[in-house]
Amino acid sequence: MHVAVHGPVVPLLTQKHPRSRRWPVPSRRCQNQRAGAGGCGRPESTGAGSRLSAGYWRQDMGEIAQGMERALRTRPVPSSTEARLRFLLSAHRGSTRKVAAVLRVSQRTVQRWVTKKPGARRPPGPLHLRAIEEAVLGRWQPRIRARRRAQAEAEGFVFHTRARFGFAAPAGSSDDPRVRWITQYLPGEVARELFAARDAGAGEQQQLVILARALGHAYFRDGGLRAHGLGIAFTDVEFAEFSIG
């Protein structure tokens, strides 16, 4: 995916913050993920059984959306289907009828998913796995999610990414894109714009446009102090993390 943002933008930074590191080291849990332990970025591929390898991940979510989801939680979402069903039952006081209504299946279907009787248990199919996942995500730590979102919108956040960046000057000259690690504080205005776009159903493309504009101003143009008119090409996002607080 390629996003290019050209020309000057309206300044976004409203307060002074320490200068960002240009070549940050990935966090320990992200290094572990690259070693196969999971925890950030795109997880290992899922099997056809009852386990999804990462609680937050869905096939249609890009790196930016995944990073935003991780930043709003303090505990990982249950990763196995069994654990997710237990969570839904607990949230509905053990009522298979209420869980069935949430998932839009019959009560008997839920009972077959959770029964402990030998030979009577039936695993959910792919569409039901998606419905279970979305039901859990929508009910996981709602107060914490709301509090962390409000904090990001009020105080800003630190954005960590590894992606390909290229540049184009107003005169037409350009630099070949290259992969960079970047860690940069971005203000609450950017958080509000990102969450508003997500709430409106915007996809990865629009989120990249928002972040490219913000990084162009705060990082590459040093808050508007240099490189006026420099255009930023933001593409091939390999990793995206948002640090709140």
Side-chain angles (χ1 to χ4, degrees), residues 85 88-89 92 94-105 110:
L85 287 169
L88 290 176
L89 284 169
H92 293 89
S95 172
T96 54
R97 179 180 59 83
K98 291 181 179 179
V99 172
V102 168
L103 299 176
R104 297 183 179 181
V105 297
V110 175

Side-chain angles (χ1 to χ4, degrees), residues 56 58 60-73 137-138 140-142 144-150 152-153 189-211 242 244:
Y56 55 82
R58 288 186 356 209
D60 59 350
M61 289 177 67
E63 296 294 336
I64 304 301
Q66 291 179 48
M68 291 173 67
E69 281 297 313
R70 289 190 296 270
L72 293 178
R73 296 194 290 265
L137 287 173
W140 190 255
Q141 296 189 308
I144 291 175
R145 289 169 59 86
R147 183 168 66 246
R148 289 179 69 81
R149 172 174 174 167
E153 292 180 344
E189 292 94 322
V190 180
R192 289 193 292 272
E193 192 173 358
L194 282 170
F195 283 120
R198 188 192 67 171
D199 293 347
E204 187 90 343
Q205 184 78 12
Q206 181 59 33
Q207 293 164 340
L208 285 173
V209 168
I210 294 168
L211 287 168
F242 298 76
I244 301 173

Side-chain angles (χ1 to χ4, degrees), residues 128-139:
H128 292 144
L129 288 174
R130 171 65 63 85
I132 292 168
E133 178 187 32
E134 292 183 348
V136 172
L137 287 173
R139 291 162 176 78

Side-chain angles (χ1 to χ4, degrees), residues 19 22-23 25 27 32 46 79 81 98 105 114 127 144 152 161 167 171 174 206 220:
R19 187 178 299 274
R22 298 279 167 157
W23 295 95
V25 177
S27 66
N32 290 340
T46 59
S79 58
T81 302
K98 291 181 179 179
V105 297
V114 301
L127 293 178
I144 291 175
T161 189
F167 316 98
S174 63
Q206 181 59 33
F220 293 103

Side-chain angles (χ1 to χ4, degrees), residues 115-130:
T115 184
K116 298 185 182 299
K117 294 180 181 179
R121 192 166 190 171
R122 297 291 184 270
L127 293 178
H128 292 144
L129 288 174
R130 171 65 63 85

